[in-house]
Amino acid sequence: MKLTPEIKKHFEDRTSKHIKLVQKYCKILEDKDASLKGLIARGEEHDQSKYGTNEMDPYIWLTWRYKCEDDGTECELPPGMEAKIKKATEHHILNNAHHPEYHSDRKTGLLAKGDRDKPSSKIVNATKMKPLDIAEMVADWCAMAEERGNTPKSWADKNVNIRWKFTLEQKTQIYKLIDLAWGSKEKKMLKTAGQ
C-alpha cells in the first residue's frame, strides 16, 4: 500500500484531536487539584514526539491500521512497516514521561509480542513515576476512553499492577484522578448501560 494524502491527513486529524482531548483533561485535573500545577503545560507538549523523524511515518501507518480495524476494512502495511511501528512505539514510550515504561529500569521487552496494547510477558516497574507523570497518563487514558467509547477505569482495571507495577499510593492516585476527571461521565455511562 502507498502513503496517500488521505492516510496522512487521518493521522494529522486524529493526533491533533487526541492531543486536544489530553489537554482538556489536563486542565480539568489541574483546575480540580492544586497539587497538579504544571499539568496544563505538560498537556501542551503531549505526544509531540509523534511528529519527529523517529515516530511520524510509523505512527501514520499505525493510526491508519486502527482506523481500518474500526471500519472493518483490510489494511495492507508497506513491507517492513510492522517492525518500524514496534521501534517507533518503543521510542515513544521510552521518551515520554506519561508512559510507565519511561520510568522502567528495563529498556527492552516492554511490549507484548504481536499486540502492543496488551501486557508484555513481564510486568513493567512504574513505581518511579512522579505525580505529574501519573496525572498526564490519566489524562491520556481519559482522552483515549472518550475516543474509543469506553472508560479510563476499565483500562486501569486491566493494566494497573498487571501490565504496570505501581505502589499502593500511586494506584490510589490513579483511581482518584480518574474519578476527578471522569467520575460523572463514568456514572452516567453505567446508568445508561443499566448497571
Side-chain angles (χ1 to χ4, degrees), residues 14-123:
R14 187 267 157 194
T15 305
S16 174
K17 178 183 176 190
H18 173 70
I19 291 169
K20 285 178 182 150
L21 285 171
V22 171
Q23 291 168 348
K24 173 180 106 172
Y25 286 106
C26 285
K27 181 166 180 8
I28 289 169
L29 288 171
E30 186 172 328
D31 287 350
K32 289 183 177 183
D33 185 340
S35 73
L36 297 176
K37 185 161 177 49
L39 186 58
I40 292 170
R42 292 275 299 256
E44 295 299 318
E45 298 298 316
H46 185 82
D47 277 358
Q48 291 305 303
S49 66
K50 287 183 180 176
Y51 296 104
T53 57
N54 290 310
E55 297 178 25
M56 192 157 121
D57 285 346
Y59 268 90
I60 288 170
W61 286 104
L62 178 63
T63 305
W64 187 253
R65 184 174 72 192
Y66 282 139
K67 179 192 182 315
C68 291
E69 286 172 9
D70 289 345
D71 294 346
T73 59
E74 195 163 321
C75 179
E76 184 184 326
L77 297 177
M81 188 51 68
E82 204 61 60
K84 290 177 183 177
I85 288 171
K86 182 177 187 276
K87 188 174 178 184
T89 301
E90 287 171 343
H91 182 272
H92 184 75
I93 62 178
L94 291 173
N95 287 281
N96 288 278
H98 66 277
H99 286 284
E101 294 84 357
Y102 174 92
H103 305 274
S104 175
D105 292 332
R106 230 176 40 184
K107 299 301 174 199
T108 60
L110 298 168
L111 298 172
K113 287 184 180 149
D115 189 342
R116 66 189 284 280
D117 296 321
K118 299 249 190 265
S120 66
S121 59
K122 187 175 176 192
I123 195 166

